[in-house]
Amino acid sequence: MDYLYVIVDYSPIFVILYGLYMTWRFETARWFLLTLGAVELVDELLISVALNWQVHYYVYAAAMNLAFLLPIMYRQKIANWLYERSGHDFFNNVVNKHYISLQELSVLLVLAAVAIINVVTWCEVLLYKYKFITNAPIKLYVRDNTVAILHLLYIGALVKYVLKAEFREGYLTNEKEITP
């Protein structure tokens, strides 16, 4: 059964790579997936260290979930900063075409929910460790399955984002042509 958790945990990086392949010609999608992929790689590099923390692993997990929110919320500002430093047109195009899609909001909400679950689990584990409670039901019975389900929703939102990239890009192009 544990192999299912492993598959769910490592699936986003493959979805991001597939998404980059499918949406490379769309600058906003490429930028979103590149920034999200960078955070995903940092997570993969640090996870082996964090798993040894035992009690405080849940703080790491919550912090990484919040780190995944950065590419969504600050993508335009980061692109603008990189454009000012480099002058590369790619970043300018990202700034001009940027808007948050429904799929990005879905990713944001799912990752925020996972962060909240991890913080609650961490608090519960601390209470258990210091003998304030005698059992940790959220950690034992709720957290893993809930996080796995939310992770599947995250993967689904990423897939939907990739599939809708061409539509969003065409919509933005048509919208710019219509507006004076």
Side-chain angles (χ1 to χ4, degrees):
M1 185 70 169
D2 288 339
Y3 65 90
L4 289 175
Y5 291 117
V6 172
I7 290 170
V8 169
D9 281 344
Y10 288 105
S11 294
I13 195 71
F14 295 109
V15 171
I16 290 169
L17 290 173
Y18 173 74
L20 282 170
Y21 172 74
M22 295 300 292
T23 64
W24 190 259
R25 60 187 173 173
F26 309 120
E27 293 164 325
T28 55
R30 185 181 346 153
W31 178 241
F32 173 68
L33 293 171
L34 283 172
T35 55
L36 203 59
V39 177
E40 187 73 44
L41 287 175
V42 168
D43 183 36
E44 295 304 325
L45 291 172
L46 296 177
I47 191 71
S48 61
V49 173
L51 285 172
N52 293 323
W53 293 353
Q54 297 175 358
V55 172
H56 301 297
Y57 164 76
Y58 302 104
V59 172
Y60 163 81
M64 282 311 298
N65 290 128
L66 295 176
F68 276 101
L69 301 179
L70 295 176
I72 298 170
M73 296 182 339
Y74 295 106
R75 187 171 71 243
Q76 185 178 22
K77 291 181 180 184
I78 295 169
N80 191 34
W81 182 81
L82 289 171
Y83 175 68
E84 290 172 357
R85 301 298 181 271
S86 70
H88 198 281
D89 285 336
F90 169 75
F91 298 115
N92 188 38
N93 292 340
V94 168
V95 169
N96 292 333
K97 293 179 181 179
H98 177 268
Y99 82 98
I100 293 183
S101 68
L102 184 60
Q103 295 81 25
E104 291 170 331
L105 287 176
S106 300
V107 168
L108 189 126
L109 291 174
V110 166
L111 292 174
V114 174
I116 290 168
I117 289 170
N118 283 317
V119 168
V120 169
T121 304
W122 177 67
C123 291
E124 181 188 58
V125 168
L126 283 177
L127 290 172
Y128 177 76
K129 179 181 177 183
Y130 293 112
K131 311 261 189 263
F132 288 107
I133 58 175
T134 58
N135 196 1
I138 295 173
K139 179 198 178 299
L140 294 174
Y141 307 114
V142 176
R143 185 214 176 254
D144 291 343
N145 291 331
T146 304
V147 168
I149 290 168
L150 289 171
H151 218 78
L152 288 171
L153 290 173
Y154 166 64
I155 293 165
L158 285 177
V159 169
K160 186 77 167 184
Y161 180 86
V162 168
L163 295 175
K164 292 269 198 175
E166 187 171 3
F167 172 76
R168 274 191 315 276
E169 192 76 17
Y171 175 77
L172 286 173
T173 304
N174 292 336
E175 188 72 25
K176 300 271 185 198
E177 290 173 0
I178 294 171
T179 348

